[in-house]
């Protein structure tokens, strides 16, 4: 929802040109999935660039990445979820790294993972890092999410 607010014309009106350019370059386009948004040709015809999901959800429930839908299925999902508290968001491919994975049987092997790193703030200051990874581009608890150790290195004084 914060990304939607950042792309809202009312927000753009009080930001500087530099701030708006930063948002356009670094924040995935996000909007409420209205019938008007769902009817956009670039959304309907370029499904691999988009994802739709509930406005307030977690665990990847109700998420539809265009790249995982057939053309007709994608258009049906757009029509079905327009004006139903869903958002439309530009899909950003997570960065990938190779990591050791112990698998079900505990045998270590290299595996390529999509990564998502988040930060914890406390009192406005960095208090920690949370790293999640998945074999698929959709990183969720309900999918195959894995938590990873994060280490912050500081130079000694």
């Amino acid at each position: 929802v914060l990304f939607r607010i950042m792309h809202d014309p009312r927000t753009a009106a009080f930001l500087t040109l530099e701030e708006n350019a930063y948002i356009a370059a670094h924040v995935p386009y996000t909007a409420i999935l209205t019938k008007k948004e769902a009817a956009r040709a670039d959304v309907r015809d370029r499904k691999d660039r988009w994802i739709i999901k509930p406005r307030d959800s977690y665990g990847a429930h109700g998420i539809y990445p265009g790249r995982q839908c057939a053309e007709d299925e994608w258009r049906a999902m757009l029509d079905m979820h327009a004006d139903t508290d869903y958002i439309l968001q530009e899909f950003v491919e997570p960065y990938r790294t190779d990591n050791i994975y112990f698998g079900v049987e505990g045998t270590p092997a290299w595996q390529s993972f999509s990564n998502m790193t988040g930060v914890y703030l406390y009192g406005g200051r960095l208090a920690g890092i949370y790293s999640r990874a998945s074999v698929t581009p959709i990183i969720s608890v309900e999918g195959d999410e894995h938590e990873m150790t994060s280490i912050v290195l500081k130079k000694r004084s």
Side-chain angles (χ1 to χ4, degrees):
V1 173
L2 177 60
F3 289 177
R4 179 192 64 78
I5 293 167
M6 294 172 82
H7 284 281
D8 190 294
R10 293 171 294 179
T11 303
F14 67 79
L15 296 177
T16 66
L17 289 175
E18 183 179 60
E19 290 166 335
N20 282 307
Y22 183 89
I23 289 168
H26 299 287
V27 178
Y29 176 80
T30 307
I32 297 296
L33 182 61
T34 61
K35 288 180 181 167
K36 181 179 177 183
E37 289 285 329
R40 289 175 33 189
D42 64 317
V43 172
R44 295 185 83 74
D45 299 336
R46 298 178 72 193
K47 67 179 185 61
D48 291 355
R49 293 190 59 212
W50 302 99
I51 187 168
I52 61 173
K53 52 191 172 180
R55 185 178 61 84
D56 189 20
S57 183
Y58 66 95
H61 294 288
I63 290 180
Y64 300 99
R67 62 181 46 207
Q68 293 179 1
C69 298
E71 296 283 340
D72 57 338
E73 179 187 16
W74 173 246
R75 290 182 179 130
M77 290 295 112
L78 289 170
D79 294 339
M80 181 187 328
H81 295 291
D83 293 328
T84 65
D85 213 24
Y86 261 66
I87 61 171
L88 168 73
Q89 189 170 63
E90 180 182 11
F91 182 81
V92 176
E93 186 75 38
Y95 68 95
R96 296 191 73 85
T97 58
D98 289 336
N99 294 284
I100 294 291
Y101 178 57
F102 289 89
V104 177
E105 298 176 21
T107 305
W110 287 101
Q111 174 70 50
S112 177
F113 285 90
S114 295
N115 294 267
M116 181 184 299
T117 303
V119 294
Y120 290 111
L121 300 176
Y122 184 78
R125 299 181 63 129
L126 177 65
I129 297 174
Y130 181 69
S131 297
R132 302 183 312 159
S134 173
V135 174
T136 70
I138 305 300
I139 303 170
S140 75
V141 173
E142 299 298 320
D144 70 339
E145 177 187 310
H146 304 274
E147 294 178 15
M148 299 179 3
T149 303
S150 299
I151 300 171
V152 178
L153 300 175
K154 294 181 183 179
K155 261 189 176 179
R156 290 185 181 183
S157 303

